[in-house]
Amino acid sequence: MASSDSSLDLQVVRSNFVRVDTRALGLPEALRMVVASVHENITCIVFHPSLHIHDKDLNLIAEGCPHLKRLVLPCWDLISEFAMRNAIEGWRELESMTMAGFSWSPRLFTTQLIMVRIKTYCKNFSKL
């Protein structure tokens, strides 16, 4: 949980669950704070269903969360194929990813390319 002075409640971090109010902070700033506070120990990220993730947000997650095992991206329509490919290459431990709109036809080709990357780089992957 983030307060209005942009500090992060580290007690929440120690409990392995962090809830950040992105209304008080922008998403990139909130992600930077969380990643810096937990020192690359994040293994699961679940975004709010109405939160749109951009390339810069995904890049922050990819750089700061190398041990990511589970990712839920409800709104991924603003993420480029390039950013997704680069992130997946760094997430060697990724086991599960939820992507809303998976069967949405304009993104189907991109989704197939992402699956090829996952199969190549994420050896423990089991659920999309």
Side-chain angles (χ1 to χ4, degrees), residues 15-91:
S15 74
N16 296 326
F17 177 80
V18 179
R19 179 181 172 95
V20 179
D21 184 353
T22 57
R23 293 172 297 184
L25 300 170
L27 180 59
E29 182 60 28
L31 287 171
R32 274 193 275 290
M33 287 176 58
V34 170
V35 167
S37 299
V38 296
H39 308 290
E40 300 183 351
N41 292 322
I42 296 172
T43 59
C44 177
I45 297 177
V46 178
F47 286 101
H48 188 275
S50 65
L51 191 61
H52 290 268
I53 309 303
H54 297 82
D55 285 1
K56 65 183 174 200
D57 306 320
L58 190 66
N59 291 337
L60 283 168
I61 297 165
E63 292 169 11
C65 306
H67 303 291
L68 195 65
K69 293 181 190 248
R70 180 171 183 239
L71 179 63
V72 177
L73 287 173
C75 296
W76 64 290
D77 54 317
L78 300 177
I79 299 173
S80 72
E81 177 191 333
F82 179 77
M84 185 62 82
R85 281 192 337 241
N86 286 341
I88 289 169
E89 288 176 17
W91 291 327

